[in-house]
């Protein structure tokens, strides 16, 4: 029986797990573990799925850098003409380092500092997605001081329930994001009085891992209503940015295809008679199912209560299970005829929350390499050095070739910025 994995380029061949034409256990042997591995062909499929060739207007995809910010991945999208959604100076510097033009950058986030605003204005970004009235004032002041006009879009909080995990829901009144829907018109009128600003758009982002179209439609209806009022008040916009948030299949989810979301947006825009450029900020749907995390089994530990496979990856490498109780597929990279045993896959960190998967039936021996699936988004970017663990290496697979796109961190580098109180004698 052939298993259909959420990663389209993953398959079992001759008792081994392959990503494209690369046997994963050999890749682990060569580069060590824990190891993030991405498939170029899967990235291409995700990118292609977001293309909508016969639209009646320009559609800009602003890849959300926080989901996977490796500069090789950014370069992959930059070479295909992508725009980028960023939330810090650091992310902006990465996008520039990957060869993308500043004019392709939209800057989101609730806490932009003066230094970040200056940096963005110096480089000439596409626009700021502004999340509060004090931020409007700050951008106006900085732009005026620099003799510039800052392009801005207001991020509106439409107050809709995205029906996703509370930590990744952002479009409800009680969330810290965006400007209240009720206050939006006033905010635009106010922005139009500030000479350091040029109003170019409107946007929202209502949450992440959304698996139905309905919340997108509710939010879109509210936003389009606002745009109509703005037009009546003489405020014209160039673009409408409908954020990211489209979910992916981890287990048995059946999220809509990007084309279904785009079709719904375009229909709404046409019904409203709007000619605006359309923008999205997809992150997860671009990269989650183009990546996996390889980890080696150090010990099999049977206890009276349950079996544990103790592996060499941990919550510092991949925190989604710990933080969101997220379910990720786990597959052995070699096939055994050993009986299936129910087990938890756990890391070596000194916390009971350090687990990668629970209650999985697996045939595993000590030394096997397991693949944690769908780890391309919010995997490496959320990793840390907790327990003084060097961060994993990253490899991109292209057919039968493998490219190191991030070297494994070196232990001594972990305290390179730290200082002793007195010399060691
Ligand atoms: N735009 C903005 C303003 C965002 O805040 C986000 C994600 C995105 C776009 C991209 O959303 P996506 O297409 O990836 O759903 N660490 C969490 C996800 C946090 C998402 C934060 N914002 C996780 O691992 O599930």
């Amino acid at each position: 029986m052939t298993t259909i994995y959420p990663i389209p380029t993953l398959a079992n061949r001759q008792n081994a797990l392959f990503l494209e034409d690369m046997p994963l256990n050999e890749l682990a042997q060569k580069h060590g573990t824990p190891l993030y591995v991405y498939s170029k062909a899967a990235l291409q499929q995700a990118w292609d799925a977001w293309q909508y060739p016969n639209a009646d207007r320009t559609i800009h995809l602003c890849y959300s850098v926080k989901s996977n910010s490796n500069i090789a991945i950014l370069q992959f999208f930059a070479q295909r003409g992508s725009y980028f959604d960023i939330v810090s100076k650091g992310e902006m510097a990465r996008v520039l380092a990957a060869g993308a033009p500043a004019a392709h950058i939209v800057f989101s986030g609730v806490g932009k500092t003066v230094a970040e605003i200056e940096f963005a204005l110096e480089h000439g970004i596409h626009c700021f997605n502004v999340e509060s009235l004090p931020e409007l004032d700050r951008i106006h002041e900085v732009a005026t001081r620099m003799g510039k006009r800052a392009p801005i879009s207001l991020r509106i909080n439409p107050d809709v329930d995205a029906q996703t995990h509370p930590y990744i829901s952002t479009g409800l009144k009680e969330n810290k994001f965006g400007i209240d829907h009720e206050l939006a018109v006033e905010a635009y009128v106010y922005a139009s009085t500030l000479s350091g600003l040029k109003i170019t758009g409107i946007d929202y982002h209502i949450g992440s891992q959304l698996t139905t179209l309905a919340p997108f439609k509710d939010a879109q209806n509210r936003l389009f209503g606002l745009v109509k009022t703005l037009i009546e008040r003489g405020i014209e916009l160039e673009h409408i940015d409908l954020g990211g948030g489209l979910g992916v299949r981890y287990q048995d989810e059946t999220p809509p295809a990007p084309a279904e979301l785009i079709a719904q947006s375009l229909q709404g825009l046409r019904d409203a008679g709007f000619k605006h450029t359309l923008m999205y900020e997809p992150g997860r749907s671009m990269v989650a199912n183009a990546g996996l995390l390889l980890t080696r089994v150090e010990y099999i530990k049977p206890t009276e209560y349950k079996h544990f496979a103790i592996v060499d990856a941990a919550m510092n490498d991949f925190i989604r299970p710990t933080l969101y109780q997220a379910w990720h597929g786990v597959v052995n990279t070699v096939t055994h005829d050993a009986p299936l045993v129910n087990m938890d896959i756990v890391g070596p960190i000194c916390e009971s929350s350090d687990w990668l998967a629970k209650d999985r039936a697996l045939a595993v021996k000590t030394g096997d390499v397991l693949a944690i699936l769908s780890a391309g988004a919010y995997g490496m970017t959320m990793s840390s050095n907790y327990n003084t663990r060097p961060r994993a290496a990253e490899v991109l697979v292209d057919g039968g070739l493998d490219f190191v796109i991030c070297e494994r961190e070196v232990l001594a580098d972990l305290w390179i910025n730290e200082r002793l109180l007195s010399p060691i004698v």
Side-chain angles (χ1 to χ4, degrees), residues 64 66 85 168 205 208 245 281 283-284 320 324 378 382:
S64 190
K66 64 172 81 69
D85 164 58
I168 52 177
H205 170 76
S208 202
E281 300 169 1
R284 189 189 312 267
R320 299 199 73 254
Y324 315 112
Y378 306 110
M382 294 183 80

Side-chain angles (χ1 to χ4, degrees), residues 49-57 59 61 213 216-217 220-221 224 242 246 256-272 278 280:
W50 269 98
Q51 305 309 306
Y52 200 91
N54 296 318
D56 58 354
R57 69 198 67 219
I59 302 177
L61 301 175
L213 287 176
F216 287 112
K217 191 163 193 177
Q220 161 181 320
N221 288 342
F224 292 177
L242 301 182
L246 189 61
E260 294 175 72
L261 176 63
I262 298 173
Q264 172 174 282
S265 313
L266 288 173
Q267 190 59 50
L269 288 167
R270 278 195 298 269
D271 291 348
L278 179 58
Y280 295 98

Side-chain angles (χ1 to χ4, degrees), residues 132-308:
S132 67
L133 296 182
E135 189 191 326
L136 269 183
D137 287 332
R138 181 178 280 184
I139 296 176
H140 160 68
E141 279 158 25
V142 176
T144 306
R145 171 161 51 75
M146 293 173 73
K148 297 192 187 266
R149 273 186 93 193
I152 58 134
S153 151
L154 296 194
R155 176 171 176 180
I156 304 305
N157 184 331
D159 194 26
V160 298
D161 185 358
Q163 289 150 14
T164 184
H165 191 284
Y167 284 14
I168 52 177
S169 184
T170 51
L172 278 172
K173 256 199 175 109
E174 61 257 39
N175 299 131
K176 68 179 173 184
F177 300 99
I179 293 171
D180 238 25
H181 184 263
E182 263 56 287
L183 304 175
V185 175
E186 247 173 88
Y188 269 100
V189 171
Y190 177 62
S192 70
T193 66
L194 300 177
S195 58
L197 307 181
K198 178 177 189 297
I199 297 170
T200 62
I202 191 164
D203 70 285
Y204 65 56
H205 170 76
I206 57 173
S208 202
Q209 184 55 13
L210 274 65
T211 52
T212 61
L213 287 176
F216 287 112
K217 191 163 193 177
D218 288 352
Q220 161 181 320
N221 288 342
R222 303 209 75 192
L223 198 80
F224 292 177
L226 254 180
V227 175
K228 275 206 175 120
T229 313
L230 291 175
I231 293 170
E232 285 159 18
R233 304 286 291 263
I235 296 175
E236 296 284 344
L237 308 175
E238 289 160 24
H239 75 257
I240 297 180
D241 175 348
L242 301 182
L246 189 61
V248 301
R249 176 160 87 92
Y250 287 106
Q251 188 172 13
D252 50 13
E253 301 89 335
T254 51
E260 294 175 72
L261 176 63
I262 298 173
Q264 172 174 282
S265 313
L266 288 173
Q267 190 59 50
L269 288 167
R270 278 195 298 269
D271 291 348
F274 292 165
K275 302 261 181 303
H276 304 80
T277 297
L278 179 58
M279 290 166 62
Y280 295 98
E281 300 169 1
R284 189 189 312 267
S285 54
M286 287 284 191
V287 287
N289 276 322
L292 49 81
L293 174 63
L294 294 181
T295 181
R296 196 174 289 278
V297 178
E298 294 287 343
Y299 299 98
I300 305 278
K301 181 172 175 179
T303 71
E304 208 181 310
Y305 178 60
K306 59 164 63 169
H307 281 61
F308 293 99

